[in-house]
Amino acid sequence: MKKTSSAEFTGRRAIACVAMIAMLIAMVPLMSGCRSGVNGEVYVYSYGDYFDPMLAEDFEAETGIRVILDSYDTAEEMYTVLENNATTYDCICTSDYMIQRMIGNDMLAPLDMSNIPEVKNIGKVYMEKSESFDPGNKYSVPYQAGISGILYNKKMTEGDVIDSWNDLWNEKYKDQMVMPDSVRDAFMIGLKKLGYSENSTSEAEIKAAADELIKQKPLVYKYANDSARDLLANGSAALGVVWNGEYIYTNDLNKDVEFVIPKEGSEFFIDSWVVPKKAVNKENAEKWINFLCKAEVAAQNFDYLYYTTPNEAAYDLIDKEYLNNKAVFPDEETIARCESLVTLDPKTTELYSDYWKKVKAD
């Protein structure tokens, strides 16, 4: 694949979005009716715009199974829908920590891997990382992965070496940095800066991280999530915390933007496909998962998303320029010094929430 220019990238995503809108409009009558499903359908629930919409058509052409898609914004929103039995889905894409929670609450069905032979394409390192939230890889198949890091404008940082979370406490960048507006993501930075685990359950460590974030707050230009990359792309900020999957998009728009994974380690995520225990069309769901595990499909998805694909068989189909870029495809050593978020007990979760309120209030 050739490198996509900014104009080509925008055009390609615009065409895909038009296709997605058309697909959703066509599905409205189906989505508003009974969600019990039949053998020729698979009801999919995913983060929005998280696969090339043309793939749904390709899957139907190949299998005769129609993909009926709903999307959600946060894993917590998805969980509430399932917990309240608001509707029935056959296949869900969600995040590592939420999968751990769903397994613990007996909400998922074990996968029949004989229906997912293409799982062989998923790299060993990603399957092993998945064991932290899905022991034995019984309930999930990795789909996309990523690492949180610092996106920075090398002109605005005037050639400074940016390689540590400590750089986000540099007064030189006052009113020029963007921090995540998310309790666990923000605390991850404070905890890693101090050498602690991002999943710390120690109140002393959580408080120490909160104190660091409070010290940093006067330097922060904005707390933001999805808009962070745009603030870096248009020069409104010099540094921002984003997922590595945002790097290619932002660099296409602004060649002065670079990405680094801090030396102290960072947050590593795996989003995976799972099948709810109450799924009506489990076999169709497993066929959908298997389809997405195909090398050519994973490569097409990479060209649409630019997130790290765990599908090593797809690497032969991806431009070497991307494969050799550690910001896009971090090496095993980098992955090894990163952690994935885990679901915390209610008392610890409340601690994080309480200290986050103090950070935002001071």
Side-chain angles (χ1 to χ4, degrees), residues 56-285:
E57 297 180 18
D58 295 342
F59 176 71
E60 182 174 355
E62 179 177 310
T63 65
I65 299 168
R66 178 172 44 180
V67 177
I68 300 175
L69 174 69
D70 275 358
S71 64
Y72 62 87
D73 292 326
T74 68
E76 288 70 24
E77 172 192 338
M78 176 278 301
Y79 184 88
T80 299
V81 169
L82 258 67
E83 186 178 40
N84 294 332
N85 296 312
T87 189
T88 302
Y89 294 100
D90 300 312
C91 197
I92 296 174
C93 179
T94 195
S95 301
D96 36 31
Y97 71 97
M98 188 56 68
I99 292 171
Q100 180 189 28
R101 182 178 179 185
M102 294 167 79
I103 292 172
N105 290 328
D106 196 27
M107 296 171 70
L108 299 181
L111 297 174
D112 182 350
M113 291 301 178
S114 68
N115 291 330
I116 313 175
E118 298 295 337
V119 72
K120 65 184 180 183
N121 295 331
I122 306 301
K124 180 181 178 182
V125 65
Y126 297 98
M127 296 299 287
E128 290 178 348
K129 274 285 187 181
S130 294
E131 296 248 21
S132 67
F133 58 89
D134 177 15
N137 303 120
K138 296 179 181 179
Y139 296 94
S140 66
V141 172
Y143 173 60
Q144 300 293 325
I147 295 180
S148 180
I150 301 173
L151 196 66
Y152 66 97
N153 185 310
K154 57 189 178 185
K155 277 191 176 180
M156 296 177 71
T157 54
E158 300 176 329
D160 290 350
V161 175
I162 305 296
D163 65 358
S164 167
W165 292 121
N166 285 291
D167 295 319
L168 297 177
W169 273 256
N170 189 335
E171 293 188 3
K172 176 180 177 179
Y173 306 120
K174 178 178 171 62
D175 295 328
Q176 297 183 67
M177 63 180 73
V178 182
M179 282 284 288
D181 193 13
S182 164
V183 54
R184 293 294 300 278
D185 294 338
F187 268 86
M188 177 275 294
I189 296 167
L191 288 163
K192 287 292 185 185
K193 177 180 185 291
L194 296 171
Y196 302 139
S197 167
E198 66 191 51
N199 297 306
S200 176
T201 59
S202 162
E203 182 171 4
E205 292 178 359
I206 296 168
K207 180 182 182 302
D211 290 342
E212 290 295 320
L213 294 172
I214 289 169
K215 290 177 189 176
Q216 181 208 38
K217 188 176 178 181
L219 308 178
V220 176
Y221 165 61
K222 189 174 183 179
Y223 292 91
N225 296 320
D226 292 343
S227 63
R229 67 179 191 179
D230 299 312
L231 295 171
L232 269 292
N234 66 25
S236 297
L239 306 94
V241 179
V242 303
W243 296 106
N244 66 324
E246 307 293 350
Y247 167 62
I248 295 298
Y249 168 85
T250 314
N251 185 259
D252 262 351
L253 298 175
N254 187 334
K255 295 302 179 186
D256 293 324
V257 170
E258 297 293 343
F259 180 86
V260 65
I261 299 165
K263 59 189 177 184
E264 298 90 353
S266 187
E267 179 183 341
F268 175 85
F269 81 82
I270 296 178
D271 288 344
S272 302
W273 291 100
V274 297
V275 175
K277 197 169 186 179
K278 296 182 180 180
V280 175
N281 302 300
K282 182 174 184 286
E283 187 172 335
N284 287 355

